[in-house]
Amino acid sequence: MLFRVWGDLRDNPPAMVAYFLAFAVAMVVGLAFHEFCHAWSAYQMGDTTAQRQGRLTLNPLKHLDPMGTVLLLVVGFGMAKPTPVSPWRMRVGPPWGLAITKAAGPLSNFLIAAIAALPLKAGLIDSVASLDDIANASGPEIVGLFLFFIVVFNVLLGVFNLLPIPMLDGFSVLISFFPGQIRRQLEQLERNAGYSVLLLLFLLPLATGGRFNIIGGLLNPILDAVFPIFIES
């Protein structure tokens, strides 16, 4: 992502600065609130694990992972520090406590996207600054650009994390519906090979010239259906 944007905007410094500032704000807001909501939902159900480790906060420095942030900027794929939770300490217990906690993260991103979209959909800000002409943009248009980035990033983050793929929130939510023995086997699979599976799914399109893009095949139709809800008036 970083290199592609550098190539597109290297001859337009104001546009590059605006792009990276808007992207950084959207990323910090989205990731920090996502992880905070994991911690908050667990705390509400009686699990103080995240709270005791200082994660029950909106301070982004407590949630951002340095390497995950660099990867997000460079290749468009990264992550925050996973929020530690102990489902067996929750009043509802596992697996439902974990499912609720995991679902809280993506749902929080949709909430942020909806709030950021309100001024745009209500006409309070009727135009978004064009990166091609950012130097001549008005104050409201700059605000509109930042709000637009927050909407797009949070919708993308929410939908992506709900995919039923190991290491993503959607996987934990999905397997909570399975019978005990099957669920435990899937949990074991995630613990043993979750990161490898996720990495493989991201590398497959690169290795096959885009022919096997499982994540894109799952993600793109959902985004096509969800984005208009937040962006179009």
Side-chain angles (χ1 to χ4, degrees), residues 183-202:
R183 185 182 69 250
R184 286 188 287 273
Q185 291 175 347
L186 291 171
E187 289 172 344
Q188 186 68 31
L189 169 67
E190 184 177 41
R191 284 193 294 270
N192 293 339
Y195 280 114
S196 298
V197 171
L198 189 59
L199 181 61
L200 176 63
L201 291 176
F202 271 97

Side-chain angles (χ1 to χ4, degrees), residues 151-227:
V151 172
V152 170
F153 183 86
N154 277 277
V155 170
L156 178 59
L157 187 62
V159 172
F160 173 71
N161 273 282
L162 281 178
L163 294 180
I165 295 173
M167 305 312 298
L168 300 182
D169 297 327
F171 187 79
S172 296
V173 175
L174 175 65
I175 66 175
S176 67
F177 293 95
F178 283 75
Q181 183 60 31
I182 297 176
R183 185 182 69 250
R184 286 188 287 273
Q185 291 175 347
L186 291 171
E187 289 172 344
Q188 186 68 31
L189 169 67
E190 184 177 41
R191 284 193 294 270
N192 293 339
Y195 280 114
S196 298
V197 171
L198 189 59
L199 181 61
L200 176 63
L201 291 176
F202 271 97
L203 291 178
L204 265 177
L206 299 176
T208 62
R211 288 191 298 273
F212 293 97
N213 188 354
I214 297 174
I215 290 180
L218 292 172
L219 196 62
N220 292 334
I222 302 173
L223 290 175
D224 288 343
V226 172
F227 268 132

Side-chain angles (χ1 to χ4, degrees), residues 42-43 46-55 84-87 89:
Y43 184 76
D47 174 24
T48 61
T49 304
Q51 184 261 342
R52 286 185 284 106
Q53 295 189 26
R55 300 296 298 279
V85 297
S86 302
R89 294 185 176 184

Side-chain angles (χ1 to χ4, degrees), residues 13-195:
M16 182 172 290
V17 171
Y19 178 96
F20 283 115
L21 285 177
F23 181 83
V25 169
M27 180 185 71
V28 168
V29 170
L31 291 178
F33 197 64
H34 180 108
E35 297 302 328
F36 164 78
C37 284
H38 282 320
W40 180 84
S41 60
Y43 184 76
Q44 294 302 309
M45 290 185 287
D47 174 24
T48 61
T49 304
Q51 184 261 342
R52 286 185 284 106
Q53 295 189 26
R55 300 296 298 279
L56 190 61
T57 175
L58 288 171
N59 180 358
L61 297 179
K62 296 291 186 179
H63 300 295
L64 296 181
D65 176 74
M67 182 57 67
T69 302
V70 170
L71 288 173
L72 186 63
L73 290 170
V74 173
V75 300
F77 162 62
M79 63 195 73
K81 288 187 291 188
T83 299
V85 297
S86 302
W88 53 88
R89 294 185 176 184
M90 300 176 189
R91 284 185 290 273
V92 298
W96 295 110
L98 182 61
I100 293 170
T101 300
K102 291 293 187 178
L107 293 178
S108 74
N109 293 122
F110 296 136
L111 175 61
I112 289 180
I115 293 172
L118 277 177
L120 300 171
K121 293 179 74 70
L124 299 177
I125 295 177
D126 55 11
S127 62
V128 174
S130 167
L131 289 176
D132 294 332
D133 193 31
I134 194 73
N136 297 317
S138 66
E141 288 175 332
I142 296 294
V143 172
L145 177 68
F146 275 71
L147 292 176
F148 180 79
F149 268 71
I150 291 173
V151 172
V152 170
F153 183 86
N154 277 277
V155 170
L156 178 59
L157 187 62
V159 172
F160 173 71
N161 273 282
L162 281 178
L163 294 180
I165 295 173
M167 305 312 298
L168 300 182
D169 297 327
F171 187 79
S172 296
V173 175
L174 175 65
I175 66 175
S176 67
F177 293 95
F178 283 75
Q181 183 60 31
I182 297 176
R183 185 182 69 250
R184 286 188 287 273
Q185 291 175 347
L186 291 171
E187 289 172 344
Q188 186 68 31
L189 169 67
E190 184 177 41
R191 284 193 294 270
N192 293 339
Y195 280 114

